Amino acid sequence: MAAEGDFLARYRAVSNKLKKRFLRKPNVAEASEQFGQLAKELKQQDCLQYAAFCNLAMARCEQTLFNAPGEALALTDAARLFLTSEKENRALQAPGFDEHLQAALNCYSFAIKVYIEMNQPVMAASLCLELGNALKEMNRPGEAIVHYQRAAELQTQTPIEALLSMGEMATCKILTRDYDGALSVFTELQLTCQERGLQLPGTNTHVGAFLDIVAKCEISRVLLLMLLEPPPQKLLPEHAQTLERYAWESLLQMACQEKDTESLKSLQTELW
């Protein structure tokens, strides 16, 4: 409690400096630096949520100073601190209402917005991925999907990274048992690779990372189609062509029908 009281006293002292005085402007740059110093000290003391609040105050100062890079950095630091605090609470099984997670989501959202306004989509996409990975790790794949999708949309200049983000989105759909949704994403992924991927001159053979992505999509689509068993009248042409290529593999069909996951794992290796 003493540490908390000391933090509040110092926080208020810095905040008071930002109040307008008669004929005197507040020194926002100095306040930002002091909030940053206080955040470092609190982080060293493992007072993560208080350190995050100081970073938020620092971000507001940087916004006042029209320093977008400083604002984005402070928001990102706050988001990571809130997220770490949430993970620690979960590890301790402490009761709560996910308030630290919600604070982290808000900070990430604002930081991403600032990077987009700065015309830095790569930085914005990296934060979307960071947030998606964190939610997936916390067993929230359904919430992670939208962030992986946002990352892919921001990675138009880096096609391989965009395809990998879409792959993570498909994985999360499988984790939430949205098999139809996962099949649609893998199909879109494979078509995108075929249209834009690097190929050997004069052939349809993909090279490098595109080859690995195409192979993963193909195998995932086969397994999902075997699992879903769509009726012939509802089978899309591209899905029918995929199944025809593997119609000879009766073991694969039997394993899917029997829901024999161990056999499927070994057959998946054979498919590769």
Side-chain angles (χ1 to χ4, degrees), residues 79 82-83 98-112 131-132 135 140 143 147:
F82 278 128
L83 193 60
D98 295 340
E99 60 271 18
H100 293 163
L101 176 59
Q102 191 56 53
L105 290 169
N106 290 337
C107 291
Y108 273 116
S109 178
F110 282 119
I112 290 165
L131 182 51
L135 289 167
R140 290 173 174 256
E143 296 175 42
H147 301 291

Side-chain angles (χ1 to χ4, degrees), residues 11 20 51 92 121 123:
Y11 186 92
K20 291 184 178 180
L92 295 170
M123 292 298 296

Side-chain angles (χ1 to χ4, degrees), residues 129-171:
L129 284 174
E130 189 175 309
L131 182 51
N133 291 338
L135 289 167
K136 183 181 172 186
E137 182 185 331
M138 295 166 72
N139 199 28
R140 290 173 174 256
E143 296 175 42
I145 289 171
V146 65
H147 301 291
Y148 286 128
Q149 185 173 8
R150 184 89 182 278
E153 291 168 355
L154 290 166
Q155 291 169 321
T156 54
Q157 302 302 316
T158 50
I160 290 291
E161 284 76 6
L163 293 171
L164 293 174
S165 295
M166 289 179 68
E168 290 290 349
M169 182 169 61
T171 299

Side-chain angles (χ1 to χ4, degrees), residues 72-263:
L73 184 60
L75 284 168
T76 302
D77 287 342
R80 289 169 177 165
L81 288 167
F82 278 128
L83 193 60
T84 304
S85 184
E86 178 70 24
K87 289 179 180 178
E88 288 184 356
N89 283 352
R90 286 169 178 262
L92 295 170
Q93 296 184 336
F97 299 96
D98 295 340
E99 60 271 18
H100 293 163
L101 176 59
Q102 191 56 53
L105 290 169
N106 290 337
C107 291
Y108 273 116
S109 178
F110 282 119
I112 290 165
K113 181 175 180 289
V114 173
Y115 277 124
I116 290 173
E117 290 173 350
M118 291 167 60
N119 196 26
Q120 292 192 18
V122 173
M123 292 298 296
S126 70
L127 291 184
C128 290
L129 284 174
E130 189 175 309
L131 182 51
N133 291 338
L135 289 167
K136 183 181 172 186
E137 182 185 331
M138 295 166 72
N139 199 28
R140 290 173 174 256
E143 296 175 42
I145 289 171
V146 65
H147 301 291
Y148 286 128
Q149 185 173 8
R150 184 89 182 278
E153 291 168 355
L154 290 166
Q155 291 169 321
T156 54
Q157 302 302 316
T158 50
I160 290 291
E161 284 76 6
L163 293 171
L164 293 174
S165 295
M166 289 179 68
E168 290 290 349
M169 182 169 61
T171 299
C172 287
K173 284 183 178 289
I174 291 173
L175 291 172
T176 58
R177 299 183 182 276
D178 179 9
Y179 302 125
D180 283 304
L183 180 60
S184 295
V185 175
F186 279 125
T187 301
E188 182 184 350
L189 259 172
Q190 189 162 352
L191 290 173
T192 303
C193 280
Q194 290 170 349
E195 290 172 1
R196 304 180 186 176
L198 297 176
Q199 299 176 341
L200 290 173
T203 72
N204 292 324
T205 304
H206 291 83
V207 297
F210 287 103
L211 179 62
D212 291 336
I213 294 171
V214 168
K216 180 180 179 180
C217 290
E218 177 110 339
I219 294 167
S220 299
R221 288 172 66 214
V222 169
L223 294 174
L224 285 166
L225 285 165
M226 292 287 186
L227 177 67
L228 290 167
E229 297 181 327
Q233 63 270 23
K234 291 188 177 181
L235 199 61
L236 295 175
E238 58 266 29
H239 293 162
Q241 292 169 8
T242 300
L243 282 176
E244 285 172 8
R245 286 198 291 272
Y246 298 90
W248 54 268
E249 186 52 91
S250 58
L251 284 176
L252 181 62
Q253 292 177 334
M254 287 175 60
C256 286
Q257 289 168 358
E258 297 296 326
K259 304 294 189 290
D260 186 351
T261 54
E262 292 305 314
S263 295

